[in-house]
C-alpha cells in the first residue's frame, strides 16, 4: 500500500510559480492523451505565450527531471500553421535551429527538451511527459463576502457556476487560486439543505468527491448546510451556516476546452 502511494507521489508533482499553476506528470504519453489528461483535471496542456512563461516552465521541467515534455501546439490541420488546443495561432515561438522540420513528413506536435532550451516538432504519437496548467481565465474570483445563495446567484449572473470540486486535483487548483487571492474562506458548490447529511450541488447531483476536515461535517447547532473551505486548514472542507459570509470562486463550465482531435 505504502509502495503504491510512493509511486503515485513520485509521478505527480504539483508546483507553484509566480503567475501560473502547473501540474507535472513524468509518465510518458502521446500528445492527444496529454491533452485529455490535463483536461480531466480541469487544466490544459501548458501554453507558452511569452519568453518569461517559457523560462518558468523550462526551469520547472529541468528542476523536476522532466526529460522531454509536451507543450500546447500542433500543426495537424495545416502543415506549418501552428495552433493551440483552442485553434488559436501560437504567438510566441522558440524553435531550435532547423526546427520545425516536419521530419519524415509527420512531425505535427510541440515538445520541449531538458537538454536544450528550445522547441522541436515531433510525431504526435511519440511518448513524452506532461505539464498542465490551470486555466485561470475559466475562474472568476470575488473577495467580497456574501451568503451561499448570493454566491450562487453572483456566479449564475455571470453565466458561471459556483465552483464544483470533482476530484482532488481540482480541489488543489481551487485552493491555490484562493491562496493567491488571499480569500480566507470561500464557498464551494455543495449543500445539504434538502436532506441533512446528503450533500448535493446546485444541480441536485450528489457530491462524488469530498474532502472534509477532521470531525466535519458536524452540522454544528443543527444548522450548517453549506460547503466552505478555509485558508487555515489547507484545502480541507467544512459545513457552515449558509447565511455566513464568505468569498466566492465561480467557474466557467460552458467553456470546456477541446482536445486537438475531439
Ligand atoms: Ca508538421
Ligand atoms: Ca523536428
Ligand atoms: Ca447540515
Ligand atoms: Ca461544521
Amino acid at each position: 500500500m505504502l509502495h503504491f502511494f510512493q509511486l503515485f507521489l513520485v509521478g505527480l508533482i504539483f508546483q507553484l510559480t509566480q503567475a501560473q499553476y502547473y501540474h507535472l506528470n513524468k509518465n510518458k504519453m502521446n500528445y492527444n492523451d496529454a491533452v485529455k489528461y490535463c483536461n480531466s483535471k480541469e487544466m490544459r496542456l501548458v501554453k507558452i505565450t511569452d519568453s518569461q512563461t517559457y523560462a518558468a516552465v523550462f526551469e520547472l521541467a529541468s528542476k523536476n527531471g522532466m526529460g522531454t515534455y509536451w507543450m500546447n501546439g500542433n500543426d495537424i490541420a495545416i502543415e506549418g500553421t501552428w495552433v493551440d488546443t483552442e485553434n488559436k495561432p501560437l504567438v510566441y515561438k522558440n524553435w531550435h535551429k532547423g526546427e520545425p522540420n516536419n521530419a519524415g513528413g509527420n512531425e505535427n506536435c510541440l515538445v520541449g527538451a531538458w537538454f536544450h532550451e528550445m522547441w522541436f516538432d515531433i510525431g504526435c504519437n511519440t511518448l513524452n511527459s506532461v505539464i498542465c496548467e490551470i486555466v485561470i481565465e475559466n475562474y472568476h474570483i470575488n473577495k467580497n463576502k456574501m451568503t451561499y445563495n448570493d454566491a450562487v446567484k453572483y456566479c449564475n449572473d455571470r453565466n458561471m457556476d459556483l465552483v464544483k470540486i470533482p476530484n482532488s486535483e481540482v480541489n488543489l487548483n481551487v485552493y491555490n487560486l484562493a491562496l493567491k487571492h488571499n480569500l480566507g474562506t470561500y464557498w464551494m458548490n455543495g449543500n445539504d439543505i434538502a436532506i441533512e447529511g446528503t450533500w448535493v450541488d446546485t444541480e441536485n447531483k450528489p457530491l462524488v468527491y469530498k474532502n472534509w476536515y477532521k470531525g466535519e461535517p458536524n452540522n454544528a447547532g443543527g444548522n450548517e448546510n453549506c460547503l466552505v473551505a478555509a485558508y487555515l486548514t489547507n484545502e480541507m472542507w467544512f459545513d457552515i451556516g449558509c447565511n455566513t459570509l464568505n468569498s466566492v470562486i465561480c467557474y466557467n463550465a460552458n467553456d470546456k476546452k477541446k482536445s486537438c482531435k475531439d
Side-chain angles (χ1 to χ4, degrees), residues 10-30:
V10 167
L12 304 175
I13 306 159
F14 195 91
Q15 287 279 349
L16 206 59
T17 69
Q18 251 183 341
Q20 299 263 4
Y21 306 89
Y22 301 106
H23 167 87
L24 278 57
N25 187 342
K26 288 172 86 166
N27 293 331
K28 293 185 180 290
M29 57 189 89
N30 69 35

Side-chain angles (χ1 to χ4, degrees), residues 178-211:
L179 266 190
K180 192 193 172 209
H181 290 86
N182 289 315
L183 287 194
T185 55
Y186 54 94
W187 292 118
M188 293 174 300
N189 198 323
N191 72 83
D192 71 337
I193 295 168
I195 305 168
E196 176 54 35
T198 299
W199 286 84
V200 295
D201 63 22
T202 39
E203 288 170 274
N204 254 325
K205 292 192 186 130
L207 299 197
V208 181
Y209 170 78
K210 290 167 188 165
N211 191 37

Side-chain angles (χ1 to χ4, degrees), residues 192 196-197 199 219 223-225 239:
D192 71 337
E196 176 54 35
W199 286 84
N219 202 40
N223 192 28
E224 290 191 326
N225 300 332
D239 62 345

Side-chain angles (χ1 to χ4, degrees), residues 42 139-140 155 160-166 170 174 177 186-190 227 248-251:
E42 289 184 5
Y139 294 90
H140 173 85
C155 293
M160 302 176 94
D161 286 332
L162 189 57
V163 70
K164 287 179 187 173
I165 312 288
V170 174
V174 169
L177 282 174
Y186 54 94
W187 292 118
M188 293 174 300
N189 198 323
L227 181 59
V248 187
I249 300 179
C250 307
Y251 181 72

Side-chain angles (χ1 to χ4, degrees), residues 24-50:
L24 278 57
N25 187 342
K26 288 172 86 166
N27 293 331
K28 293 185 180 290
M29 57 189 89
N30 69 35
Y31 184 81
N32 269 333
D33 286 347
V35 169
K36 282 180 197 153
Y37 174 82
C38 293
N39 288 352
S40 76
K41 298 179 178 326
E42 289 184 5
M43 301 178 93
R44 75 174 160 223
L45 195 55
V46 66
K47 228 188 230 192
I48 310 293
T49 48
D50 53 45

